[in-house]
Amino acid sequence: GIFNSSNPTPNQRFSFTHQYSAQGEYTIVIEATDCSNKTSQVEVLVKVSSQCGDPKILAFLPQRTSVSVGEMIPFQYLLMVPLPCAVSISIDFQDGSELYLDQVPANSNSARYAKTMQRAYDSCATFNPILTVTSSEGKSVSDSDNVIIVSGCSTATPSPTASPTPSPTASPTASPT
């Protein structure tokens, strides 16, 4: 944009503001012309850096921490999203399954983002799922404070089988004649 003041007074100061919509390097050219049409210019380099702060995990909670195999567990997470940046969300359930993925688009309406999702484990063990949130600028944060104990697997062990023992047989005795 152009800023123009046609009749300044001596020693008058001018200021103007401009808001940049993207990060990067911008060159500002300031030009002044005096009453005898002599012109002077100066260039100023402006570096606009990140507009996003760090994402924050406010809560990552399974609604149950002790379940049976196949039982659905609701997981809830609450984030503070650094507006206007997008964030990607992943949960590694630590059981070899695919990651759960979600996204919050840039310029969403709220800095807080909450979601509940469900999943079940298919084996007995203790799991420590990890929630990772990464901003579109690559800043990330993780939370893995939850331990989930999955039980209910049959631990079938072979029952002991008795091996037949021979029953004692009477030995023939001689009877006196």
Side-chain angles (χ1 to χ4, degrees):
I2 296 176
F3 175 79
N4 188 356
S5 177
S6 56
N7 288 318
T9 60
N11 297 320
Q12 182 178 358
R13 299 185 76 145
F14 295 95
S15 66
F16 64 95
T17 61
H18 179 76
Q19 183 173 351
Y20 292 91
S21 60
Q23 63 184 10
E25 292 186 358
Y26 299 89
T27 301
I28 298 173
V29 178
I30 301 170
E31 182 177 285
T33 305
D34 67 12
C35 58
S36 61
N37 280 340
K38 291 184 182 176
T39 302
S40 181
Q41 278 188 352
V42 64
E43 289 186 5
V44 177
L45 180 65
V46 174
K47 294 181 181 181
V48 178
S49 62
S50 170
Q51 295 180 344
C52 295
D54 295 336
K56 291 183 177 69
I57 299 172
L58 302 177
F60 175 46
L61 304 169
Q63 292 183 352
R64 287 188 300 280
T65 56
S66 182
V67 296
S68 297
V69 169
E71 183 179 348
M72 295 302 281
I73 307 168
F75 285 86
Q76 183 176 38
Y77 52 91
L78 175 61
L79 313 174
M80 183 64 77
V81 177
L83 296 178
C85 293
V87 296
S88 61
I89 300 157
S90 69
I91 301 175
D92 181 347
F93 290 99
Q94 298 291 299
D95 63 351
S97 65
E98 289 187 31
L99 295 179
Y100 166 81
L101 302 174
D102 191 12
Q103 286 191 321
V104 179
N107 298 314
S108 62
N109 293 331
S110 175
R112 288 182 179 244
Y113 180 78
K115 187 164 188 178
T116 300
M117 54 80 57
Q118 293 193 34
R119 68 111 50 214
Y121 284 96
D122 62 2
S123 61
C124 289
T126 299
F127 299 97
N128 189 1
I130 302 168
L131 170 69
T132 301
V133 181
T134 305
S135 76
S136 53
E137 294 181 337
K139 297 174 184 176
S140 71
V141 62
S142 294
D143 184 351
S144 63
D145 291 337
N146 301 303
V147 173
I148 303 197
I149 300 168
V150 181
S151 60
C153 293
S154 94
T155 53
T157 56
S159 59
T161 56
S163 50
T165 55
S167 9
T169 57
S171 47
T173 55
S175 53
T177 53

